Amino acid sequence: MKKEDIIARIQQLKAEKNAVILVHYYTRPEIQDVADYLGDSLGLSQEAGKTEADIIVFCGVHFMAETAAIISPQKKVLIPVPDAGCSLAEGVTGKDLALWKQKNPEGLVVSYVNTTAEVKAETDYCCTSSNALSVVRNLPAGRKILFGPDRNLGAYIQQVTEREMEIWNACCCVHQPINAEMVLQALEQYPDADILIHPEASCSHDERVLNHPRTFMYSTAGILNHAKHSPKQRFVIATELGTLHKLRSDNPDKEFIPIHPDLICKEMKKVTLENLLEALEKEQYIVRIPQELRDRAIVPIQRMMP
Ligand code: 13P
Ligand code: SF4
């Protein structure tokens, strides 16, 4: 089938079935272009809670679709590629976390949203990269925090908030290679540019990076917002390269330079127009969360939602 025909059929089925397509910024450009809502993890969770559609087709990785299903249990949540995974979500299990809590009974557990439902069920507060600092700042003073699974986001929060924290040792295989040397080199090579960095990068807590006036640590939505409102013309982008599609379409007169050409989340790219159409046609693959698990996993998610 030709691309235009696939897109037309997707639009037709969407209308017939009262479905909505939620898409993360890291997916392929053609998937972003058919989105009803394009967002970062926090925005997508909020949208999943707000939508009046009967079906949510979630174009992203599995933990994101699972989070949407936890938030909207009355809706049918579909993921076109059920094995689209995430190295962070795979970096800690519910059992791991239960054991960590046993060893630290005084700790409050803050989990990044990039986790499975089992991990969320053991969690006190969820956060995304958009709201992590405010979630942690609002926790009762003096309480130790167990933060997981991303060590780089954790170290960044610890550095900025100066809270007592233990941090789980997992990372995002896409953002980990973004190190301080890369950022320092970009600062030198592009003296007129701001460097916009996702806090999953391994440079997230390096003082040479954090204290530089032209570096900014943001979630994907924060990066987009900065680029749009800054008077600057040039930006070095230190995150997954799918973000460039929206950056360039929102700001056709500005220049965006990837800090490295290989920052690609292969799991996010698994969603194609073909498997998205198939998902709508066959109403597959349904994300199911057992009720007992959902009842526990929803609590930390609700606590992070504004
Ligand atoms: P955002 O919270 O910026 O959407 O990031 C999600 C993610 O998976 C980053 O790798
Ligand atoms: Fe997971 Fe990293 Fe891919 Fe984000 S970019 S979905 S954290 S593997």
Side-chain angles (χ1 to χ4, degrees), residues 26 96 102 104 124 138 156 165 183 206 225 236 249 288:
Y26 295 174
D96 291 334
Q102 260 177 33
N104 295 278
D124 295 310
N138 283 323
Y156 167 67
M165 281 167 79
V183 174
D206 187 301
N225 192 45
V236 175
S249 61
R288 295 181 202 278

Side-chain angles (χ1 to χ4, degrees), residues 1-17 19 21 34 273-274 276-278 280-282:
M1 224 196 265
K2 283 200 300 214
K3 184 178 168 186
E4 309 75 72
D5 297 337
I6 300 179
I7 293 170
R9 182 82 183 120
I10 287 172
Q11 304 298 2
Q12 184 192 0
L13 282 172
K14 222 176 60 176
E16 276 172 30
K17 297 188 180 211
I21 301 179
V34 295
L273 284 175
E274 286 78 8
L276 169 56
L277 173 57
E278 206 179 353
L280 268 165
E281 274 171 347
K282 299 185 181 163

Side-chain angles (χ1 to χ4, degrees), residues 24 26 40-41 64 112 114 129 175 198 200 219-220:
H24 192 272
Y26 295 174
D40 70 354
S41 315
M64 295 181 171
Y112 196 26
N114 297 40
S129 51
H175 289 88
H198 197 285
E200 287 172 16
S219 71
T220 317

Side-chain angles (χ1 to χ4, degrees), residues 24-26 39-44 61 63-64 86 88 112-114 128-130 172 174-175 198-200 218-222 239-240 265 268:
H24 192 272
Y25 293 119
Y26 295 174
D40 70 354
S41 315
L42 182 62
L44 288 163
V61 291
F63 79 81
M64 295 181 171
C86 165
L88 264 179
Y112 196 26
V113 74
N114 297 40
T128 76
S129 51
S130 273
C172 160
V174 179
H175 289 88
H198 197 285
E200 287 172 16
Y218 288 130
S219 71
T220 317
T239 189
E240 209 279 344
C265 180
M268 286 280 191

Side-chain angles (χ1 to χ4, degrees), residues 231-250:
K232 294 224 169 154
Q233 278 304 302
R234 244 181 177 191
F235 304 86
V236 175
I237 302 304
T239 189
E240 209 279 344
L241 300 187
T243 313
L244 291 169
H245 181 60
K246 180 76 174 147
L247 280 166
R248 287 177 176 148
S249 61
D250 279 359

